[in-house]
Amino acid sequence: MLRVLLVTGIIAFVSPLFAQTWSPSAAPARGATALQARPSLEQRVADLEAYVTNSPRGADMGSASSSNIAAPGPSYNAWLMTCAALVLFMTLPGLALFYGGLVRAKNVLSVLAQCLGIVGVVTILWWAVGYSLVFSRGSAFIGGLRFAFLHGVDARPNSDYSYWVSQNVFAMYQLMFAIITPALIIGAVAERMKFAAVLVFVGVWMFAVYFPIAHMVWGIDGWMNGVWNPAARVRAIDFAGGTVVHMTSGWSALVLCILLGHRLGFKKEIMAPHSVVLCMVGTGLLWVGWYGFNAGSALAPNAFTSTTLATAMASFTWAMLEYALRGKPSVLGFCSGAVGGLVVITPACGYVAPSGAVVIGIVAGIVPFFACTKLKSWLGYDDALDTFGVHAVGGTLGAFLTGFLATASVNPNLLLSVTGAPNPATQNGLAKIVGHTLWLEQLKAIGVTIVFAVVGSAIIGAVVRGLIGLRIAPEIERQGLDINEHGEEGYMTTG
């Protein structure tokens, strides 16, 4: 009785606040029926509980009456807008400073310009068709055009993806993932690719690689969306972007750097980072921003915990390997390990226990370390800033480890929903293979992603090279891209 009185008092206080800004009868939530009956006390309590637990509200479940709180949740919107800003913070200025510090001084502005240019290109494409192709219903491989030019993307939630977040907020949050993904590619081709070629390549690549993979993995009817699509053919898991972000960018980066060839003086001249200080600052910004990347995808605390543990462990492990093998732990090693840990934990962060995150962190500090220090030397490709070694190897590793370490005890979406109704993961069989053969489904998703990224990037790169050229002229490369491509210098040393 005391519980009912307490909840009733809260509803009586909160309901007028919602009524001032939202009219459920005028703008019902997606999936709701336009019913006018007043909600009962039981439904009002159930809706309040749904708000607290981020579960379906009555208006989304075909209730016999309207809901007093059918509007988006202010706290959920505030959190996701904060996370969207954090993910953009990862690119601007995080990735820009991280990459900018790793190149030579004569090319620092070229990296910043490429990051800024990619933000503009991807945002325009996302507004026009990108969001729709990824998150509207369509086929198992690509979405439709229902939300083209963000038509209908307003303050109402899209209950395919969230019950309490406005769809326009959700769309902007997902835009930030789309921005950083191609921006990661430029690390492999730094100091030698034309600015115009970067923009053209990224524009086409978004259609050929990113939009299809993102829909297949995250779209409500996506072919590889094992968590939310009851008809998924590949019952894989990618919590925040192991395949969608890191594998697509990392494997594409390898193809593009091979097409471009080595930098002038590769293995003959010293090409050390011009500012490890900037690199360290960028790493810190990436780490902080990554909480929006991972924890924002969860609306729950576990991803925050696992991200912290894995990243700290990987950073320490990488530097200690340097200590043991080279006698000195470098700041660059700490930075590389931290980014590697962030990458590897990304697909698993919402599904693994703290102990699993520690395991991932240790492996993330070891495998990418050898990929960057040994594999690149053995194979001879010029991955300027180790995009392939960290993001492709790390993203692939993370996707694979998720198949072994994911547990339903951390994320109930892998079992039954809180209402007791079957989850999509129950219907498509994912729940039965978690802890057993999930790694086989992860391998399937890994294979599909690699094929899309490698084949798509090879074709796009070859076409762009034939039309406008990929590489700058040798004399420009020797002088630096900053002054020749952008008419500016990062550092004024005279005057």
Side-chain angles (χ1 to χ4, degrees):
M1 186 64 183
L2 180 61
R3 175 175 176 242
V4 173
L5 291 173
L6 178 61
V7 172
T8 303
I10 294 174
I11 293 175
F13 176 76
V14 171
S15 294
L17 300 180
F18 280 104
Q20 292 173 12
T21 58
W22 190 270
S23 173
S25 61
R30 296 190 187 278
T33 55
L35 302 171
Q36 301 302 318
R38 288 189 57 152
S40 65
L41 176 61
E42 288 77 11
Q43 185 191 337
R44 295 172 71 185
V45 172
D47 276 354
L48 185 60
E49 290 176 342
Y51 181 86
V52 172
T53 59
N54 192 29
S55 57
R57 57 184 146 219
D60 289 318
M61 302 299 289
S63 168
S65 61
S66 60
S67 171
N68 279 0
I69 52 173
S75 61
Y76 287 107
N77 271 349
W79 169 242
L80 210 62
M81 284 188 286
T82 300
C83 289
L86 285 171
V87 181
L88 179 60
F89 193 61
M90 292 169 64
T91 304
L92 301 174
L95 186 70
L97 292 178
F98 179 72
Y99 278 172
L102 290 174
V103 298
R104 290 168 287 182
K106 62 184 179 181
N107 296 315
V108 59
L109 292 184
S110 70
V111 171
L112 308 188
Q114 288 167 8
C115 286
L116 288 165
I118 287 171
V119 170
V121 168
V122 174
T123 299
I124 292 169
L125 295 179
W126 195 251
W127 162 74
V129 294
Y131 174 71
S132 190
L133 291 176
V134 175
F135 289 106
S136 73
R137 290 177 180 264
S139 71
F141 302 97
I142 195 71
L145 296 176
R146 176 185 176 188
F147 300 128
F149 301 102
L150 296 185
H151 175 73
V153 179
D154 51 28
R156 294 173 294 181
N158 180 346
S159 57
D160 281 344
Y161 301 100
S162 177
Y163 300 106
W164 298 103
V165 175
S166 296
Q167 188 175 196
N168 49 15
V169 174
F170 175 79
M172 291 300 99
Y173 176 66
Q174 294 297 335
L175 165 63
M176 306 314 169
F177 285 74
I179 285 172
I180 196 170
T181 303
L184 294 172
I185 297 174
I186 65 177
V189 299
E191 303 192 304
R192 63 197 190 277
M193 189 168 176
K194 291 180 179 178
F195 181 71
V198 169
L199 298 185
V200 173
F201 178 88
V202 166
V204 180
W205 185 86
M206 294 298 292
F207 285 95
V209 179
Y210 185 83
F211 295 156
I213 290 294
H215 180 77
M216 282 190 276
V217 174
W218 290 335
I220 192 65
D221 52 359
W223 192 55
M224 299 190 290
N225 188 350
V227 178
W228 296 113
N229 181 10
R233 304 300 297 173
V234 178
R235 299 162 295 176
I237 290 175
D238 182 359
F239 190 80
T243 53
V244 177
V245 176
H246 300 293
M247 283 189 64
T248 58
S249 61
W251 285 96
S252 297
L254 175 65
V255 171
L256 197 54
C257 79
I258 292 173
L259 285 174
L260 276 166
H262 299 153
R263 288 168 290 176
L264 296 178
F266 180 65
K267 290 189 175 181
K268 298 178 182 178
E269 302 175 6
I270 296 176
M271 297 181 178
H274 90 278
S275 176
V276 178
V277 172
L278 286 184
C279 177
M280 168 56 197
V281 172
T283 301
L285 297 177
L286 281 169
W287 191 337
V288 172
W290 223 291
Y291 288 116
F293 200 82
N294 287 356
S297 298
L299 294 176
N302 182 72
F304 194 103
T305 302
S306 59
T307 298
T308 304
L309 291 172
T311 306
M313 187 63 66
S315 178
F316 187 76
T317 300
W318 188 304
M320 292 306 103
L321 276 173
E322 288 186 331
Y323 211 165
L325 298 176
R326 300 175 179 177
K328 296 179 182 179
S330 69
V331 172
L332 183 57
F334 278 110
C335 293
S336 300
V339 175
L342 290 164
V343 169
V344 179
I345 192 61
T346 291
C349 60
Y351 301 113
V352 298
S355 57
V358 171
V359 171
I360 285 177
I362 294 172
V363 177
I366 297 172
V367 177
F369 171 83
F370 285 104
C372 294
T373 59
K374 299 297 183 182
L375 183 65
K376 181 167 68 171
S377 177
W378 293 339
L379 299 181
Y381 56 86
D382 184 12
D383 177 7
L385 310 183
D386 290 319
T387 299
F388 175 75
V390 172
H391 295 277
V393 173
T396 305
L397 178 65
F400 184 62
L401 290 176
T402 301
F404 293 96
L405 298 173
T407 170
S409 64
V410 171
N411 194 318
N413 289 322
L414 301 181
L415 288 176
L416 294 177
S417 71
V418 293
T419 63
N423 260 355
T426 305
Q427 295 168 298
N428 63 31
L430 170 63
K432 294 180 180 179
I433 62 174
V434 172
H436 301 288
T437 58
L438 175 58
W439 63 274
L440 290 173
E441 299 297 304
Q442 296 299 103
L443 280 179
K444 294 176 186 178
I446 288 169
V448 171
T449 304
I450 292 175
V451 169
F452 260 83
V454 170
V455 174
S457 298
I459 294 173
I460 299 166
V463 171
V464 174
R465 182 171 60 182
L467 292 176
I468 65 173
L470 288 173
R471 187 158 184 159
I472 57 176
E475 58 271 19
I476 292 178
E477 186 172 348
R478 292 190 184 94
Q479 294 171 5
L481 277 70
D482 291 0
I483 192 66
N484 286 283
E485 288 248 297
H486 306 289
E488 301 169 298
E489 294 182 75
Y491 306 98
M492 300 300 294
T493 56
T494 60

